[in-house]
Amino acid sequence: MNIKLTLLPGDGIGPEVTAAAVKVLQLAADRFNFSVKTETCSFGGQSIDEYGVPLTEETLQKCLDSDSVFLGAVGGPKWEDLEQQRKPEAGLLKIRKELGLFANIRPAKIYQALIDSSTLKKEVLQDTDFIVLRELTGGIYFGNPRGYTLNKTDSAERHRQEKGWNTMVYTRKEVERIARRGFEMARGRRGKLTSVDKANVLDVSQFWREIVIELHKDYPQVELTHLYVDNAAMQIVREPSQFDVILTGNLFGDILSDIAGMITGSLGMLPSASIGKQHALYEPVHGSAPDIAGENKANPIAAIASMAMLLEHSFEMKKAADVINDAIERTLAQGYRTADIFSEGMRLAGTTEITERIMENFEEIFNEQALGVFTL
Ligand code: IPM
Ligand code: MG
């Protein structure tokens, strides 16, 4: 098999973590007998600097033509004051929309070796293993009307007229397709689906809830519960192990997945997959961390784990994905830590060093498995 992969390294630490993840992917390709052809395109702030827009038609076309897309990170202070449509983030939203990536999968799993470095107590974290399934191409992120008026004068009357607005809107089709994913995902795991909304206040949420309840009839083996988003945020830090699959809309999923990321010790650990009917994009959940960009300090684990998700979800190579994830576990168990997850007594490693360790462990695990040894 040959994988045609478009790389969008993006801004800040994006290029460093992308390079690390590609190295690991190439190693997996060598060992598991497939090949990868990558093409790197300009995206986000970098593309704004070069072409004036965060996503050019050419880059978009390359993404549409490839088997899969890998994205590093976008954004930074340099582009923060641009108007909404020209910000790097607008490029990310556009690519999600154009590729039809409606399902965003963000797994929150505890790495045993890191259980002590979370801000939450070990007893609370034990056995945490859930997925935030976030709707990604609808809701308030894309709803119309949207906009704001700001009059740059001091007249009191003008100030009274100023306002900003967005619209949270979901169609039946949008709710159905993500909800079905949620039920299917839960069915393949521990059979528990928690739909998160704000149905006590928002009409769009009541609509969401009624459709989810309706679809439940097709998945009787799945246990369905509903939570309001404020309560869900609280429950994730109170007792994260109660969750299996959390199904939610675009905005709520954005917020809850950052909370979930912190549970695992650092956002630098959280991978994600964004999947549509025909296309898929993989990216670490963390941002571009401009303060440490180019210093070989970034944690590449989320990016590397995103490559594992790519192999599993887009190419049915669960075995190769497992070896990557086991190699990450083993590297952490050996005490290697980037600065964001460093604690007393551990070995501080830069981006390239921890990537090399992960690759060595990959080789080791691969060889052990080839010999029939299955210890971690
Ligand atoms: C995320 C990010 C993005 C989002 C931003 C960068 C547009 O926070 O992927 O969670 O809000 O979806
Ligand atoms: Mg976010």
Side-chain angles (χ1 to χ4, degrees):
M1 182 178 21
N2 180 32
I3 298 177
K4 207 171 138 194
L5 179 64
T6 299
L7 302 175
L8 308 175
D11 309 315
I13 59 170
E16 295 161 72
V17 299
T18 302
V22 169
K23 275 195 206 156
V24 176
L25 181 67
Q26 290 291 5
L27 176 62
D30 288 349
R31 295 296 171 267
F32 283 87
N33 287 321
F34 61 95
S35 63
V36 184
K37 193 166 164 279
T38 61
E39 182 157 13
T40 304
C41 296
S42 178
F43 183 67
Q46 184 205 5
S47 171
I48 294 175
D49 289 349
E50 286 174 43
Y51 307 104
V53 287
L55 174 67
T56 63
E57 285 307 312
E58 199 193 333
T59 295
L60 177 60
Q61 199 53 51
K62 289 253 166 68
C63 294
L64 287 165
D65 291 343
S66 57
D67 297 323
S68 198
V69 181
F70 184 92
L71 185 127
V74 287
K78 186 173 172 195
W79 307 282
E80 248 166 38
D81 295 329
L82 292 173
E83 60 180 292
Q84 221 64 353
Q85 283 317 301
R86 292 192 53 227
K87 283 186 180 157
E89 288 81 354
L92 183 54
L93 299 182
K94 184 168 175 200
I95 206 166
R96 288 173 179 169
K97 193 75 175 176
E98 297 283 337
L99 267 57
L101 310 174
F102 65 89
N104 184 218
I105 304 167
R106 299 185 162 182
K109 206 178 154 177
I110 297 297
Y111 287 97
Q112 278 309 319
L114 285 186
I115 201 155
D116 290 315
S117 67
S118 171
T119 48
L120 294 187
K121 289 196 197 98
K122 192 173 172 174
E123 309 83 81
V124 173
L125 289 176
Q126 208 57 262
D127 302 324
T128 292
D129 177 5
F130 67 90
I131 288 179
V132 178
L133 178 64
R134 167 189 179 194
E135 198 291 325
L136 202 62
T137 52
I140 197 164
Y141 272 52
F142 293 93
N144 282 307
R146 60 192 299 165
Y148 65 87
T149 51
L150 262 185
N151 294 311
K152 299 235 156 52
T153 63
D154 264 348
S155 134
E157 177 50 30
R158 288 219 156 161
H159 279 176
R160 263 194 293 281
Q161 286 169 7
E162 289 174 331
K163 60 178 181 176
W165 63 97
N166 279 92
T167 309
M168 194 185 280
V169 52
Y170 270 115
T171 63
R172 168 177 279 276
K173 183 182 149 208
E174 285 173 327
V175 182
E176 279 192 4
R177 64 182 179 183
I178 191 72
R180 285 199 186 279
R181 282 272 175 156
F183 281 113
E184 282 156 19
M185 199 174 257
R187 193 168 57 186
R189 290 171 49 97
R190 300 195 303 280
K192 282 169 65 182
L193 183 68
T194 308
S195 174
V196 173
D197 60 38
K198 189 70 188 173
N200 51 344
V201 177
L202 304 177
D203 297 278
V204 58
S205 279
Q206 187 62 38
F207 173 74
W208 172 286
R209 187 177 283 216
E210 299 208 2
I211 290 175
V212 174
I213 291 172
E214 207 179 292
L215 293 182
H216 188 201
K217 297 188 187 73
D218 294 344
Y219 307 88
Q221 58 286 77
V222 174
E223 182 196 323
L224 172 68
T225 48
H226 305 273
L227 284 184
Y228 298 137
V229 63
D230 48 353
N231 186 20
M234 188 267 279
Q235 295 294 340
I236 290 176
V237 285
R238 193 185 74 86
E239 195 198 337
S241 60
Q242 69 182 288
F243 295 110
D244 182 13
V245 178
I246 294 180
L247 164 71
T248 192
N250 207 342
L251 179 63
F252 301 155
D254 177 46
I255 299 164
L256 296 183
S257 61
D258 265 29
I259 301 180
M262 213 35 230
I263 281 183
T264 62
S266 162
L267 262 188
M269 306 297 296
L270 214 64
S272 86
S274 303
I275 297 188
K277 260 177 111 172
Q278 286 153 23
H279 302 281
L281 179 149
Y282 297 83
E283 61 175 314
V285 174
H286 63 69
S288 60
D291 51 323
I292 57 162
E295 293 180 16
N296 194 33
K297 283 187 185 156
N299 183 349
I301 292 178
I304 294 170
S306 298
M307 279 301 187
M309 288 190 87
L310 175 144
L311 292 177
E312 179 173 350
H313 291 271
S314 283
F315 304 102
E316 288 170 10
M317 285 192 269
K318 175 129 178 34
K319 259 193 146 161
D322 285 347
V323 177
I324 294 179
N325 288 323
D326 290 351
I328 294 172
E329 284 267 10
R330 189 176 285 189
T331 305
L332 293 169
Q334 290 164 347
Y336 294 99
R337 300 282 187 276
T338 42
D340 58 316
I341 48 172
F342 183 74
S343 59
E344 215 33 54
M346 295 295 133
R347 310 186 205 185
L348 184 64
T351 314
T352 46
E353 191 191 348
I354 204 160
T355 306
E356 278 159 18
R357 293 287 92 79
I358 291 171
M359 290 170 73
E360 279 169 22
N361 282 318
F362 182 102
E363 291 274 24
E364 238 179 69
I365 294 167
F366 182 85
N367 291 334
E368 286 163 13
Q369 295 197 348
L371 295 171
V373 185
F374 287 97
T375 51
L376 233 178

